[in-house]
């Protein structure tokens, strides 16, 4: 509208200014519709304000032609809907679009992309990467989560290859490789990093950074390291206890069994001794060394 100010107020494009410019927010790489609900019974032409000789869509006599990346289906046009479809939105497609029916401008639409909002969790000491969707005349500013810090602190501007650091606090820490990297993140760096397009006065991206709090006491590290090996140790101990329990249980059973058997053997030995006492003098059945022999004898005695 400011283009039309003053002397040139009477020129044709200025009349257009009376049209309500509709603002459309698209999403990067997504389809977007530039609305124009007007019916056009003569030739309909969509162009961009910045290059009106570059026709995006032309509808005439019931059918439409469209440039790559744009669409206006014939049926939609015949139904009296002159809306233009942008197939894949990107930053280069931002700007003012106009639809002309014959010589009359029927619609004006300002197309922009909604800001990309990202969240990052950063450990103190790690660098903070601020993604720059564009590097053509953008500005990065910072608003700390901590309300005590000044808000909207301008960090730098980027103009293609040139980066100009404005805040002296960032002279040593900021550098650019299609991201703005701020080295050695600190708790006080928590907050919103906003990337603005200076030319179009638009917000391109907001990077919300949350720094993980680190406890200052040196013992905390050990406390936190503890569970890792502590849990392993506990698991190993529990397994050892279970194994030991099983072994003890098994041995106990064995011992009980042996005791039972030796009691039996004892019984048999005594029986055998009673038989043998007649033939063998001085043989002591209670001597453990004799149990084996006595048993054999006892068994053979039973077999007979
Ligand atoms: C006009 O067409 C566009 C694109 O196909 C569609 O999104 C919109 O809803 C249509 N408007 C009406 C009023 O039918
Ligand atoms: C950061 O941005 C979000 C929106 O994306 C907003 O809700 C929040 O209040 C902002 N925080 C600060 C500290 O400005
Ligand atoms: C982190 O920030 C605080 C406050 O801004 C400052 O006092 C401290 O020295 C900083 N720490 C490091 C490691 O830079």
């Amino acid at each position: 509208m400011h283009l039309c100010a003053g002397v040139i107020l009477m020129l044709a494009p200025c009349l257009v200014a009376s049209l309500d410019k509709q603002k459309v927010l698209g999403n990067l790489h997504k389809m977007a519709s530039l609305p124009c609900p007007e019916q056009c019974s003569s030739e309909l032409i969509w162009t961009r304000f910045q290059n009106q000789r570059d026709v995006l869509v032309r509808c005439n006599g019931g059918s439409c032609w469209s440039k790559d990346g744009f669409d206006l289906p014939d049926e939609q046009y015949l139904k009296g809907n002159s809306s233009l479809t942008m197939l894949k939105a990107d930053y280069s497609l931002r700007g003012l679009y106009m639809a002309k029916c014959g010589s009359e401008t029927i619609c004006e639409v300002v197309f922009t992309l909604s800001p990309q909002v990202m969240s990052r969790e950063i450990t103190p000491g790690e660098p903070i990467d601020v993604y720059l969707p564009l590097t053509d005349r953008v500005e990065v500013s910072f608003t700390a989560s901590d309300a005590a810090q000044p808000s909207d602190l301008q960090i730098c501007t980027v103009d293609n290859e040139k980066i100009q650091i404005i805040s002296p606090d960032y002279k040593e820490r900021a550098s650019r490789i299609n991201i703005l990297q701020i080295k050695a993140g600190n708790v006080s760096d928590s907050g919103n990093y906003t990337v603005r397009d200076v030319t179009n006065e638009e917000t391109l991206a907001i990077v919300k950074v949350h720094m993980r709090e680190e406890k200052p006491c040196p013992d905390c590290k050990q406390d936190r390291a503890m569970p890792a090996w502590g849990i392993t140790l506990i698991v190993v101990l529990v397994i050892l206890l279970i194994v030991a329990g099983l072994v003890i249980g098994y041995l106990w059973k064995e011992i009980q069994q042996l005791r039972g058997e030796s009691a039996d053997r004892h019984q048999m030995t005594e029986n055998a001794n009673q038989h043998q006492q007649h033939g063998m003098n001085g043989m002591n059945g209670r001597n453990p060394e004799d149990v084996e022999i006595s048993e054999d004898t006892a068994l053979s005695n039973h077999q007979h």
Side-chain angles (χ1 to χ4, degrees):
M1 234 175 270
H2 52 272
L3 289 165
C4 307
V7 204
I8 50 166
L9 198 78
M10 323 250 296
L11 294 173
C14 301
L15 300 173
V16 164
S18 64
L19 269 174
D20 275 342
K21 281 197 189 94
Q22 206 165 343
K23 236 187 145 170
V24 169
L25 273 179
N27 290 309
L28 189 62
H29 303 324
K30 295 280 154 63
M31 199 190 259
S33 179
L34 311 187
C36 187
E38 310 291 316
Q39 174 132 32
C40 178
S41 40
S42 62
E43 189 186 46
L44 172 74
I45 288 177
W46 270 99
T47 61
R48 295 183 72 168
F49 180 77
Q50 63 186 56
N51 187 358
Q52 296 180 36
R53 267 172 296 177
D54 182 19
V55 173
L56 308 173
V57 160
R58 184 195 306 273
C59 295
N60 213 342
S63 73
C64 298
W65 168 91
S66 47
K67 197 184 167 179
D68 264 3
F70 295 92
D71 192 26
L72 204 168
D74 293 351
E75 316 103 71
Q76 183 198 310
Y77 170 64
L78 290 171
K79 274 187 205 153
N81 182 348
S82 300
S83 302
L84 174 69
T85 299
M86 182 187 286
L87 298 177
K88 200 178 174 195
D90 73 50
Y91 289 101
S92 68
L93 294 173
R94 295 172 306 158
L96 176 60
Y97 290 76
M98 22 210 272
K100 269 191 177 160
C101 182
S103 59
E104 191 194 353
T105 300
I106 52 168
C107 293
E108 284 192 320
V109 179
V110 177
F111 179 73
T112 51
L113 290 171
S114 36
Q116 296 185 59
V117 180
M118 288 156 263
S119 294
R120 299 269 155 78
E121 203 39 49
I122 291 167
T123 305
E126 276 181 4
I128 299 159
D129 290 346
V130 180
Y131 165 62
L132 307 176
L134 288 181
T135 54
D136 185 10
R137 300 246 298 146
V138 296
E139 164 202 295
V140 182
S141 60
F142 171 60
T143 297
S145 311
D146 169 16
Q149 292 189 56
S151 73
D152 218 18
L153 169 73
Q154 207 183 359
I155 295 178
C156 68
T157 60
V158 177
D159 191 356
N160 289 318
E161 295 313 303
K162 281 169 275 154
I163 172 169
Q164 192 186 359
I165 315 278
I166 289 157
S167 168
D169 301 349
Y170 289 92
K171 277 244 148 67
E172 292 298 309
R173 298 172 65 202
S175 61
R176 182 182 93 75
I177 337 153
N178 88 348
I179 51 164
L180 173 76
Q181 188 173 74
I182 297 156
K183 295 196 180 83
N186 188 348
V187 178
S188 61
D189 292 327
S190 280
N192 286 354
Y193 293 77
T194 306
V195 184
R196 276 193 207 93
D197 177 333
V198 179
T199 314
N200 299 295
E201 293 175 353
E202 282 169 21
T203 299
L204 300 175
I206 299 169
V207 183
K208 296 191 273 183
V209 170
H210 175 72
M211 304 298 295
R212 289 188 197 95
E213 295 281 337
E214 223 172 30
K215 284 175 195 156
C217 55
D219 296 335
C220 295
K221 255 198 176 125
Q222 282 173 3
D223 282 348
R224 266 189 307 171
M226 174 88 166
W229 61 265
I231 287 168
T232 318
L233 192 69
I234 288 165
V235 167
V236 167
L237 283 176
V238 165
I239 290 171
L240 283 178
L241 277 175
I242 291 170
V243 169
L246 288 173
V247 167
I248 287 169
Y250 177 74
L251 287 177
W252 182 251
K253 248 188 180 169
E254 285 286 285
I255 287 166
Q256 291 296 97
Q257 219 167 346
L258 282 174
R259 267 193 191 163
E261 270 175 26
S262 64
D264 284 346
R265 284 172 194 174
H266 210 97
Q267 199 69 40
M268 287 187 230
T269 317
E270 252 162 21
N271 291 344
N273 282 348
Q274 275 170 12
H275 286 286
Q276 285 171 350
Q277 233 137 40
H278 306 287
M280 280 183 176
N281 285 331
M283 184 83 171
N284 192 350
R286 278 169 219 280
N287 190 336
E289 274 179 37
D290 299 334
V291 171
E292 238 18 75
I293 305 159
S294 311
E295 194 184 24
D296 284 344
T297 336
L299 281 172
S300 48
N301 281 351
H302 276 275
Q303 273 168 355
H304 288 300

